[in-house]
Amino acid sequence: MELDYPQLTDEQFKKFSKMLFELSGIKLRDHKKYLLIHRLSKYVGPAKQFHSFEEYYQALQADESGKMVSDFLNVLTTNFTFFFREPVHFEFLRDYLEKARDSQEYIRIWSAACSSGEEPYSMAITLKQALTNPADYDAKILATDISRKMIHLAEAGVYHYTKVRGHLEDKLLKDYFNFDKETNDFSVAQPIRDLVSFRYMNLLESFPFNKLFDVVFLRNVLIYFENKEKEYIINKIANYIKPGGYLILGLSESLVGLQHRFKINRNSIYQKL
Ligand SMILES: C[S@@+](CC[C@H](N)C(=O)[O-])C[C@H]1O[C@@H](n2cnc3c(N)ncnc32)[C@H](O)[C@@H]1O
C-alpha cells in the first residue's frame, strides 16, 4: 500500500491530525493514518498539485482564502447518509409533531450534521405529512454541517435514482420529488425545500440561535469526537432544546459515560430534563 502513495511520517501524521482537531474537533487515531494518506492523495502525489505531504501542509498553513482548508475538511469527513435512515426516529418525530402541534407556539427541528441533505428532507416530508400545512404551526427545519461541499449538495437537493432506490416508497417520490428522465435525477419539490434552511456550522463553535428547538437530530456524528468534546457539544445543544424536548442520536450511539441533562427514552432518543 505504501508503494502506491506518497510517504507520510508519524510526525507529519500528528501535524495533520492536530490541524484537523483544531479545525473540527475530529480526532484521528493512529490506525487512521492510511485513511488520511488515502484521502489526501487527492492533492498529494507525483502528478498532483503537491509532491509531498510537507509541501501540502505548509500550503494549508499559509492558505488565506480558506478554500484549501475547506477542501481539507471536506475530504476527511465521512458523509454517508440516506433518506429515512433509522426509520424509527422519523416515526418518533411524526408522533411528536402530532402531539405538539396544538400545544407549541412554534416548532423548530434541527438536523445538526445534515451531510448531503437526506436527513433534513426526510424530516421535512415527515413535517408535511404530520402537519399538512407546517406554516400554520410556524414549523421549520434548520440543517447544518461543517462541510461546505455537503451544504452545497444539500441545498441543490438533487439525487440520482440510485441514491433514493430502496429508501423512498414510490408514493413519496411521486408526492415530494420531481423526476428528470434525461438524467434519472430526483429533485426535492419546492414545498419540501421551503421547510428547510441550510447553514454551515461547526458543532464546536458557538451557536447563534434565538429560538429553542423541539427536536435535535445529532446522528452519526458524535463518533468523531472524544468524550470531552462529546460532553461539550451535547451540553451546549441542551441549552437550545425546549424543556421536555428531544435529542436523537444514531441508533448505535449513546450518552453512556457522559455528564448530561437528558433522560433516555428508547432507541437513542433522549429527553431534556
Ligand atoms: C455520517 S454523516 C451523518 C449524516 C446524518 N446525520 C445521518 O445520520 O445520516 C456525519 C456528518 O457530520 C459532519 N461533521 C463532522 N464534524 C462536524 C463538526 N465538528 N460540526 C458539524 N458537522 C460535523 C460531517 O461533515 C458529515 O456530513
Side-chain angles (χ1 to χ4, degrees):
M1 192 180 201
E2 289 210 63
L3 287 177
D4 299 331
Y5 292 112
Q7 291 290 317
L8 179 77
T9 64
D10 288 348
E11 213 45 52
Q12 286 167 335
F13 174 69
K14 281 198 190 112
K15 288 204 288 190
F16 280 111
S17 304
K18 185 163 177 275
M19 182 182 264
L20 180 65
F21 180 70
E22 283 167 3
L23 289 167
S24 68
I26 296 170
K27 262 197 184 142
L28 285 179
R29 297 186 182 280
D30 291 348
H31 69 269
K32 292 282 168 80
K33 185 171 163 186
Y34 286 107
L35 179 130
L36 190 104
I37 295 174
H38 176 67
R39 300 246 173 114
L40 294 186
S41 65
K42 184 169 178 199
Y43 304 113
V44 185
K48 304 285 164 64
Q49 194 181 354
F50 301 100
H51 295 142
S52 70
F53 282 107
E54 189 54 40
E55 207 184 307
Y56 177 56
Y57 181 80
Q58 296 304 335
L60 273 175
Q61 293 276 47
D63 175 37
E64 279 180 5
S65 69
K67 166 86 175 77
M68 279 185 65
V69 168
S70 166
D71 290 344
F72 171 73
L73 282 176
N74 288 339
V75 294
L76 290 177
T77 47
T78 300
N79 309 112
F80 179 73
T81 186
F82 50 89
F83 283 98
F84 289 95
R85 180 181 193 178
E86 300 171 351
V88 68
H89 292 155
F90 294 95
E91 284 155 24
F92 177 86
L93 179 63
R94 181 186 320 215
D95 290 348
Y96 174 86
L97 292 166
E98 283 169 357
K99 279 189 215 122
R101 65 182 164 197
D102 296 320
S103 61
Q104 300 295 318
E105 207 182 307
Y106 65 88
I107 293 174
R108 290 290 179 279
I109 315 292
W110 180 17
S111 166
C114 68
S115 189
S116 37
E118 288 87 335
E119 181 177 274
Y121 288 131
S122 303
M123 289 170 158
I125 291 171
T126 308
L127 220 69
K128 189 90 181 123
Q129 289 174 324
L131 306 178
T132 310
N133 190 7
D136 290 348
Y137 303 92
D138 188 8
K140 292 180 188 158
I141 296 161
L142 173 70
T144 63
D145 201 280
I146 198 174
S147 166
R148 291 187 195 276
K149 182 176 165 195
M150 287 303 124
I151 292 292
H152 286 310
L153 282 175
E155 271 174 330
V158 178
Y159 303 90
H160 195 251
Y161 84 99
T162 49
K163 293 252 172 149
V164 304
R165 195 173 47 192
H167 303 302
L168 286 163
E169 293 161 20
D170 288 352
K171 168 130 179 59
L172 294 186
L173 287 171
K174 194 164 154 285
D175 289 352
Y176 302 117
F177 291 80
N178 300 312
F179 185 58
D180 183 332
K181 281 191 200 137
E182 308 267 296
T183 59
N184 281 332
D185 286 332
F186 284 93
S187 61
V188 180
Q190 199 59 44
I192 295 300
R193 286 171 190 264
D194 290 346
L195 298 173
V196 189
S197 308
F198 290 97
R199 214 191 274 176
Y200 161 88
M201 190 186 289
N202 182 349
L203 289 167
L204 289 172
E205 288 170 2
S206 57
F207 299 157
F209 305 136
N210 49 26
K211 280 203 155 118
L212 301 182
F213 292 98
D214 294 75
V215 181
V216 177
F217 278 41
L218 181 73
R219 306 189 310 160
N220 304 300
V221 60
L222 281 183
I223 193 165
Y224 291 123
F225 305 105
E226 298 293 312
N227 279 357
K228 193 166 141 252
E229 286 84 40
K230 283 185 189 172
E231 236 165 54
Y232 174 71
I233 292 172
I234 56 158
N235 285 303
K236 206 161 48 129
I237 290 179
N239 294 337
Y240 292 94
I241 295 183
K242 292 179 180 176
Y246 293 90
L247 172 71
I248 304 187
L249 306 183
L251 278 180
S252 61
E253 301 172 307
S254 85
L255 298 182
V256 170
L258 306 177
Q259 300 265 10
H260 60 81
R261 289 175 274 153
F262 295 95
K263 74 170 181 209
I264 176 113
N265 197 308
R266 66 196 135 83
N267 296 325
S268 304
I269 300 171
Y270 290 83
Q271 185 171 27
K272 184 171 161 179
L273 292 169

